[in-house]
């Protein structure tokens, strides 16, 4: 039944405006509704949540639209308090993961683009579950709104309770257009949850347009990072359209054979084509790319591997993000330990002048690897 209803989170501000014109309502009400959705983060179109909408507007909204708020099925905090993970329920009963992270004093939402994933990376919990369906733009936007709302709620609680919790840090001053004046706000989005965002290109870009709107969540170009397994046509399209976002490309290996063993879709988009697309992207946009490398002990973490990736990325504006493997039930591998990861980084820095980070493995106790909560 609800499938026929218009999901308000599917609409850009302009589309919402057009809808109000079609309904013969004043654009003033469209602007008000937009503010309720993305500044007040309203959870429904009820009179309590949106008191300044006229009765006739509310009646129409209630009859013909839905607000695609995603209910929480499971919520877990990591022991260190830096990661809060949500399993959210979609209208058709499927589930996706959304993660709230506060690693550097900033709130980042890690959001999903699909239910499952068709790319089949062997070490990835989402890959192990297979592909179910794409998410709609509204389902992607709803995840960001969920995190923004959660941040605002804890921020208010913090003021009341006075106890410190990393996720509740309100020390940062809100920026302009901040939703919820209590303090903390959603600052960054990473499309690194479940799914391959460039396999769901149109919906993801539509959602990003909504998230970027400067009169809404205002997550600008420097605030959104999209991670891809290496979907070559998608990377080229991003370059051509000069999409304002940061791009991360998951490499994991520097030779075609080693990569194909970890990333089956490498047979479709071979490493040399991925690298050619990355060159085009950086040249066209002037942007640096983040290259992700899941560190698996004895597989891709030797000094020779470090030199191979260094050579592969020579001449490219690049940063390497090393992610020690999060063990999953479907893959028999162990994470690289800290000293080997440090050595890997040292080689990249000294021999290739290549900056890198080792992603903190915070939240491991709540299975923070992508897709792992949905699997369990
Ligand atoms: N599909 C996209 C984005 C989602 S995965 C992509 O593959 O890039 C985000 C990152 O997490 C990718 O670099 C992916 O390889 C990595 N990842 C997935 N499962 C992991 C695991 N079990 N341990 C460590 N990193 C993992
Ligand atoms: Fe899909 Fe990314 Fe997981 Fe690979 S790592 S299976 S592309 S979600």
């Amino acid at each position: 039944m609800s499938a026929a209803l218009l999901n308000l989170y599917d609409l850009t501000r302009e589309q919402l405006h057009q809808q109000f014109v079609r309904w013969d309502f004043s654009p003033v009400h469209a602007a008000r509704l937009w503010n309720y959705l993305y500044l007040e983060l309203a959870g429904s179109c009820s009179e309590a949540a949106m008191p300044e909408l006229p009765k006739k507007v509310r009646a129409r909204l209630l009859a013909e639209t839905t607000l695609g708020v995603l209910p929480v099925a499971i919520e877990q905090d990591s022991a260190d308090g830096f990661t809060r993970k949500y399993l959210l329920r979609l209208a058709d009963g499927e589930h996706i993961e959304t993660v709230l992270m506060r690693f550097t004093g900033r709130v980042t939402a890690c959001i999903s683009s699909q239910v499952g994933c068709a790319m089949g990376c062997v070490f990835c919990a989402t890959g192990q579950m297979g592909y179910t369906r794409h998410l709609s733009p509204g389902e992607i936007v709803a995840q960001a709104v969920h995190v923004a709302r959660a941040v605002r709620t804890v921020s208010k609680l913090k003021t009341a309770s006075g106890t410190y919790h990393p996720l509740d840090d309100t020390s940062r001053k809100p920026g302009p257009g901040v939703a919820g004046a209590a303090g903390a706000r959603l600052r960054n989005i990473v499309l690194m949850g479940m799914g391959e965002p460039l396999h769901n290109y149109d919906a993801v870009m539509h959602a990003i347009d909504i998230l970027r709107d400067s009169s809404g969540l205002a997550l600008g170009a420097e605030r959104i990072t999209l991670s891809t397994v290496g979907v070559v046509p998608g990377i080229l399209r991003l370059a051509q359209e000069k999409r304002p976002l940061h791009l991360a490309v998951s490499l994991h290996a520097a030779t075609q054979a080693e990569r194909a063993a970890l990333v089956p879709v490498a047979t479709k988009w071979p490493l040399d084509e991925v690298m050619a697309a990355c060159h085009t992207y950086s040249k066209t946009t002037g942007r640096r790319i983040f290259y992700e490398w899941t560190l698996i002990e004895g597989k891709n973490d030797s000094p020779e591997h470090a030199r191979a990736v260094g050579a592969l990325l020579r001449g490219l504006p690049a940063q390497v993000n090393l992610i020690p493997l999060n063990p999953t039930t479907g893959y028999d591998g162990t994470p690289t330990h800290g000293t080997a990861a440090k050595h890997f980084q040292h080689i990249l820095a000294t021999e290739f002048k290549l900056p890198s980070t080792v992603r903190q493995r915070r939240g491991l106790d709540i299975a923070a690897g992508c897709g792992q909560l949905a699997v369990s």
Side-chain angles (χ1 to χ4, degrees):
M1 184 190 77
S2 66
L5 299 176
L6 190 62
N7 182 356
L8 293 174
Y9 288 142
D10 271 331
L11 306 179
T12 62
R13 192 151 48 94
E14 175 59 23
Q15 287 174 325
L16 190 65
H17 178 96
Q18 293 303 333
Q19 185 62 51
F20 271 59
V21 170
R22 277 195 293 278
W23 278 334
D24 216 9
F25 290 149
S26 159
V28 171
H29 301 317
R32 246 182 217 144
L33 174 57
W34 180 268
N35 290 349
Y36 279 130
L37 293 177
Y38 297 109
L39 299 184
E40 311 256 330
L41 307 173
S44 81
C45 296
S46 68
E47 192 174 351
M50 303 185 178
E52 283 179 37
L53 284 186
K55 261 200 178 63
K56 57 176 186 188
V57 173
R58 189 185 330 284
R60 190 111 200 203
L61 291 175
L62 292 175
E64 295 182 33
T65 73
T66 170
L67 185 51
V69 173
L70 303 176
V72 177
I74 303 176
E75 179 177 335
Q76 282 181 349
D77 276 2
S78 59
D80 62 15
F82 282 93
T83 312
R84 182 169 293 167
K85 186 159 192 164
Y86 301 94
L87 191 68
L88 302 178
R89 194 170 64 248
L90 306 175
D92 63 357
E94 297 291 348
H95 291 88
I96 48 165
E97 287 178 17
T98 303
V99 183
L100 189 171
M101 304 179 292
R102 186 188 275 284
F103 289 159
T104 50
R106 291 188 169 187
V107 177
T108 297
C110 175
I111 65 183
S112 297
S113 56
Q114 297 177 317
V115 180
C117 183
M119 304 296 151
C121 303
V122 295
F123 52 80
C124 170
T126 310
Q128 290 157 16
M129 76 177 74
Y131 170 78
T132 303
R133 71 169 173 88
H134 289 318
L135 295 186
S136 65
E139 288 170 332
I140 297 168
V141 169
Q143 296 173 67
V145 173
H146 175 80
V147 170
R149 198 182 284 127
V151 173
R152 192 187 53 178
T153 309
V154 290
S155 162
K156 280 185 181 155
L157 285 177
K158 160 76 166 72
T159 320
S161 74
T163 52
Y164 181 76
H165 187 279
L167 283 174
D168 306 345
D169 184 356
T170 56
S171 58
R172 291 184 67 87
K173 289 254 176 306
V178 167
R185 84 176 268 225
L186 173 61
R187 303 276 297 195
N188 301 293
I189 298 269
V190 292
L191 278 145
M192 293 187 186
M194 298 167 72
E196 168 47 51
L198 296 186
H199 183 207
N200 187 16
Y201 192 98
D202 292 330
V204 166
M205 295 312 149
H206 187 96
I208 287 176
D209 287 342
I210 296 169
L211 299 175
R212 290 185 58 232
D213 194 306
S214 56
S215 311
L217 291 176
L219 295 152
E222 302 308 315
R223 306 248 169 252
I224 299 177
T225 303
L226 182 152
S227 172
T228 177
V229 72
V231 177
V232 169
I235 296 171
L236 294 174
R237 197 172 155 196
L238 281 179
Q240 194 200 354
E241 296 174 356
K242 292 206 167 54
R243 290 279 173 178
L245 42 77
H246 288 301
L247 181 62
V249 173
S250 298
L251 273 185
H252 313 309
T255 66
Q256 169 63 10
E258 284 186 347
R259 191 161 187 268
L262 296 171
V263 179
V265 81
T267 52
K268 183 166 180 182
W269 295 298
L271 183 60
D272 53 354
E273 288 181 27
V274 172
M275 294 318 299
C278 291
H279 274 274
T280 303
Y281 179 89
S282 284
K283 215 188 278 160
T284 316
T285 62
R287 283 181 172 271
R288 173 181 64 165
I289 296 179
F290 298 99
Y291 294 90
E292 293 168 280
W293 192 278
T294 293
L295 282 169
I296 310 167
E297 193 176 61
K299 276 256 156 138
N300 63 356
D301 63 348
S302 71
E304 292 68 45
H305 287 107
R307 289 189 184 103
V309 66
L312 186 72
L313 299 179
R314 214 192 298 270
L316 276 166
Q319 178 178 315
V320 178
N321 290 344
L322 301 163
I323 319 163
L325 178 76
N326 271 304
T328 55
T329 47
Y331 180 66
D332 185 20
T334 358
T336 298
H337 53 83
T339 43
K342 282 246 149 44
H343 191 45
F344 202 100
Q345 265 194 304
H346 184 73
I347 292 172
L348 296 181
T350 55
E351 297 179 27
F352 299 91
K353 304 268 174 290
L354 196 52
S356 64
T357 60
V358 179
R359 194 173 298 165
Q360 296 147 309
R361 297 175 69 223
R362 281 177 170 150
L364 194 63
D365 57 313
I366 58 162
C370 97
Q372 291 183 39
L373 187 63
V375 164
S376 66

